[in-house]
Amino acid sequence: QVQLVESGGGLVQPGGSLRLSCLASGFTFSMSYMTWVRQAPGKEPEWVSTIDSFNWRTTYADAVKGRFTISRDNAKSTLYLQMNSLKPEDTARYYCARGPISVLADRRTWGQGTQVTVSA
């Protein structure tokens, strides 16, 4: 069974930082592209970032470039998202997903998510 468990969300002030983690199991993590997506209430899901399974190349949505960093630790089967300079617009539930950007279209590839709220 594929299982993705996100953690690390919480309430932070604008300009603050937060690191999200996603513990993966049930598949060969080291051979899988991994993606972060987010969704705010009443809005469509938004792709955030992807890291590949071969050379750890990364891609980011324009809204988070320069502020967020995706990384992975294959020995721990864990995906990370370091979020700096957080803005209220970053408020959303964040999900990790197994696969490339195409996972955005299929919620069944996501974990349960972790809530990030950016507010003064």
Side-chain angles (χ1 to χ4, degrees):
Q1 291 181 291
V2 173
Q3 188 167 333
L4 301 169
V5 181
E6 298 93 334
S7 62
L11 174 64
V12 297
Q13 296 183 348
S17 297
L18 204 61
R19 189 182 74 157
L20 307 183
S21 299
C22 173
L23 179 62
S25 62
F27 64 99
T28 305
F29 178 81
S30 63
M31 297 180 67
S32 298
Y33 278 55
M34 295 297 295
T35 290
W36 286 100
V37 301
R38 66 186 184 185
Q39 187 172 27
K43 297 184 178 180
E44 292 296 309
E46 178 185 8
W47 171 73
V48 175
S49 183
T50 294
I51 185 167
D52 73 26
S53 60
F54 309 108
N55 53 22
W56 292 14
R57 291 185 179 181
T58 60
T59 53
Y60 298 90
D62 288 343
V64 306
K65 282 183 179 178
R67 300 188 297 118
F68 290 12
T69 302
I70 189 172
S71 62
R72 64 194 299 161
D73 185 335
N74 287 342
K76 297 180 179 180
S77 295
T78 301
L79 179 73
Y80 302 98
L81 185 68
Q82 178 66 46
M83 304 184 294
N84 298 325
S85 301
L86 284 163
K87 304 175 181 179
E89 303 95 287
D90 296 318
T91 296
R93 193 164 185 86
Y94 284 71
Y95 303 85
C96 67
R98 178 192 179 190
I101 192 170
S102 60
V103 301
L104 188 65
D106 189 358
R107 191 184 181 94
R108 293 174 295 181
T109 65
W110 308 359
Q112 86 290 338
T114 185
Q115 179 68 34
V116 173
T117 301
V118 185
S119 176

